[in-house]
Amino acid sequence: MNALFYIASVVAIAATIMVITRLNSIHALLYLIVSLLSVAVIFFLLGAPFVAALEVIVYAGAIMVLFVFVVMMLNLGPQTVEQESRWFNPKIWIGPAALSAILIAEFIYVLISHGRQNLDTRMINPKQVGFSLFSTYLLGVELASMLLLAGIIGAYHLGRRKEAVFHRYFRRPDALYERLHPKEENKIDENGLKAGDKPLSKTNVSGMKQKKSERGEL
Amino acid sequence: MSPLLQTIIITVVVLLVLMTIAANLIWVERRMLALWQDRLGPNRVGPLGLVQVVADMVKIFFKEDWIPKFADRPVFFIAPTIVIITVLMSFAVIPFAPGISVVNLNVGLLFFLAMSSLGVYSVVLGGWSSNNKYSLLGSLRAAAQMISYEVFMGLSLMGVVILAGSFNLNDIVEAQGRITWFFIPQILGFFVFFLAGIAETHRLPFDLPEAESELISGFHSEYSGMKFGMFFVGEYLGITLISSMIVTLFFGGWLGPSFLPPVVWFLLKMAVFILIFVLLRAALPRPRYDQLMSYGWKFLLPLSLLNLVVTGLVVLLLK
């Protein structure tokens, strides 16, 4: 058991070092996934299979996929790798690395002076985790749920549709449009476009609408 | 027989059976599609065309394994292996019969979900490392689609967990022997899980990451030879996995009248669901991408939350 723990820890540390030193961001993210997986193995060995499974599902499986997704969308080319390699010179990293080394040495000294402790591998099953979450740590769960609620409201606000457009011929005038343009302007000409489409496309932030009006004018 | 030896034997047998099933599914799918579309399908090589799979495999192994110069070589290399590894790992927790499962894990269901969420990387990295616009578009679609449908997949299974009181798949099957097969009380959960399963394996009608009419087969358009073959086999393994999870969670796993052994019941039920997957491919057109996403978030998510709340309420009231 101890040997497995140390193997997983070494993998975690090595992978994390690779995360920092990679120049290509996707490669760095791949090493980060490996690091998270090895942390999940450590959790499993310490007797917390539920936490291990959640670590893989939430961190390695969901959050990191979104990271990879965003980096893919950014479309970083070889010039970013060059830029990274210019930034990654000893002048920049040697200071923080030396300071961290002092802290690590201190930490190791403390661990050694406290003497060795064996791993306490008591299995905690999912039911026990649930019980303690909804009794001892209830306040934490409530606070986390409020934080998530704020996130959901923010996402809802950002993703709200200004106007339901099924097709430009079936466009419905929305509230903003009505405010900007009086009623008599609100007619639809033979192209299926309303008279005041040009100012609308400039004032409205909805990119979808702008594209549609541009296409209509061609 | 020592437990270690027993585990090794079970692992090897499960692996062999799965690879055989996955390879023969290629033939099954082509013949069944042909049947439903009023054609003959591959019927030349051997009796009923059964040796067609061998011919296909020989051909695919002898094809040139070409890696484009502009591709990101290491990532291009590992992407197809991820799908095979994660799907085969998921089979470790599935109980095929009483006592016949590779590992009896007390978080078996979560392990399955974890592995299926890691499977996304295969498609995403395959498309990214190809360094090709269409592949990238395909993998972007895949990432968004699979992340979204994982949410409903997990939530739809929580009703089953509430009824069985455990994440252990063995316990879930045994609970179905005591109560009833879970597709009756969990019909909504079954419905959501089935649709999410199709989206996770990106099979038709939800195969938008590889929509060949728009994206030239999307994330794997740069792959050739056996690397392409691994994506292909991974897809069939995925179908087998989702079918066996449906059987385990909703249709009583190995349970059945005793005139047939439990393993046979399991395989028979699994075969029915595999055929349903094939029939769906033959019958349904592909939706638009935004339809797929809004259907998921606006219909399946509320449905699975409702299922969870109602199941919890009923279980509490009956206690």
Side-chain angles (χ1 to χ4, degrees), chain A residues 65-182:
Chain A
V65 173
L66 293 178
F67 269 65
V68 172
F69 186 79
V70 170
V71 173
M72 266 166 43
M73 294 270 266
L74 292 178
N75 195 17
L76 307 170
Q79 59 270 37
T80 22
V81 174
E82 218 168 272
Q83 190 183 33
E84 281 284 320
S85 70
R86 258 189 283 116
W87 286 348
F88 197 69
N89 62 2
K91 225 191 278 173
I92 289 172
W93 59 260
I94 208 121
L99 291 175
S100 316
I102 295 171
L103 284 180
I104 286 176
E106 205 170 357
F107 188 57
I108 290 173
Y109 174 72
V110 169
L111 283 183
I112 290 173
S113 62
H114 267 257
R116 302 187 61 167
Q117 273 180 343
N118 280 331
L119 291 179
D120 176 25
T121 51
R122 199 160 46 88
M123 204 69 141
I124 306 285
N125 62 25
K127 236 176 211 163
Q128 284 166 285
V129 177
F131 275 131
S132 59
L133 270 185
F134 285 99
S135 56
T136 323
Y137 303 107
L138 187 61
L139 187 65
V141 173
E142 293 285 343
L143 288 176
S145 72
M146 277 157 85
L147 194 65
L148 287 176
L149 185 66
I152 291 172
I153 292 173
Y156 173 74
H157 178 72
L158 289 175
R160 200 164 40 129
R161 267 207 186 181
K162 303 289 188 300
E163 180 190 19
V165 180
F166 300 103
H167 190 274
R168 63 194 149 93
Y169 291 105
F170 303 112
R171 181 183 287 177
R172 284 204 314 254
D174 62 356
L176 182 66
Y177 189 90
E178 300 236 305
R179 232 183 298 136
L180 288 171
H181 305 279

Side-chain angles (χ1 to χ4, degrees), chain B residues 14-94:
Chain B
V14 166
L15 259 180
L16 284 179
V17 169
L18 284 177
M19 290 321 266
T20 319
I21 289 178
N24 280 295
L25 272 184
I26 301 172
W27 175 80
V28 170
E29 171 150 55
R30 289 175 70 185
R31 284 295 288 206
M32 291 323 263
L33 278 181
L35 183 76
W36 282 315
Q37 294 170 344
D38 223 0
R39 297 181 284 120
L40 279 177
N43 63 351
R44 295 287 112 183
V45 196
L48 294 171
L50 263 170
V51 199
Q52 181 71 40
V53 178
V54 181
D56 283 350
M57 281 295 149
V58 169
K59 178 190 159 203
I60 212 162
F61 270 112
F62 280 97
K63 278 207 162 191
E64 186 189 358
D65 190 6
W66 184 71
I67 298 177
K69 278 202 192 67
F70 45 81
D72 190 318
R73 268 185 86 93
V75 181
F76 193 83
F77 225 83
I78 55 171
T81 61
I82 294 173
V83 61
I84 304 262
I85 291 172
T86 53
V87 174
L88 285 179
M89 292 270 280
S90 311
F91 276 106
V93 291
I94 290 179

Side-chain angles (χ1 to χ4, degrees), chain B residues 93-244:
Chain B
V93 291
I94 290 179
F96 296 97
I100 302 189
S101 63
V102 176
V103 56
N104 191 0
L105 203 61
N106 68 348
V107 288
L109 192 58
L110 292 175
F111 184 81
F112 159 73
L113 289 174
M115 284 303 128
S116 79
S117 63
L118 285 183
V120 184
Y121 286 114
S122 169
V123 178
V124 170
L125 295 175
W128 175 79
S129 64
S130 299
N131 226 339
N132 163 334
K133 276 177 201 152
Y134 295 109
S135 302
L136 188 68
L137 280 173
S139 56
L140 285 177
R141 281 182 177 189
Q145 170 180 334
M146 289 168 90
I147 280 266
S148 323
Y149 276 77
E150 243 157 50
V151 177
F152 331 129
M153 188 180 232
L155 278 176
S156 66
L157 296 183
M158 290 308 123
V160 171
V161 176
I162 290 176
L163 286 179
S166 168
F167 284 113
N168 188 325
L169 291 175
N170 267 311
D171 292 354
I172 289 175
V173 175
E174 272 158 18
Q176 293 183 67
R178 281 197 310 278
I179 307 170
T180 166
W181 288 6
F182 283 157
F183 78 97
I184 299 167
Q186 284 295 309
I187 186 75
L188 286 180
F190 165 63
F191 176 66
V192 175
F193 180 76
F194 185 61
L195 291 176
I198 302 172
E200 278 290 302
T201 48
H202 39 86
R203 286 277 300 177
L204 244 121
F206 295 157
D207 72 333
L208 289 137
E210 48 187 297
E212 56 276 85
S213 51
E214 315 150 31
L215 295 181
I216 334 174
S217 80
F219 64 91
H220 57 59
S221 44
E222 298 290 353
Y223 279 89
S224 57
M226 201 48 213
K227 287 203 191 65
F228 167 75
M230 282 172 89
F231 276 124
F232 209 63
V233 173
E235 189 181 314
Y236 285 111
L237 280 175
I239 297 171
T240 319
L241 174 67
I242 296 294
S243 305
S244 17

Side-chain angles (χ1 to χ4, degrees), chain B residues 273-287:
Chain B
F273 282 100
I274 291 174
L275 286 181
I276 290 179
F277 266 95
V278 177
L279 180 59
L280 278 180
R281 175 172 173 180
L284 292 178
R286 195 182 288 139

Side-chain angles (χ1 to χ4, degrees), chain A residues 5-22:
Chain A
F5 172 81
Y6 283 117
I7 294 170
S9 314
V10 168
V11 171
I13 292 170
T16 313
I17 290 172
M18 293 298 265
V19 174
I20 301 166
T21 55
R22 286 312 85 189

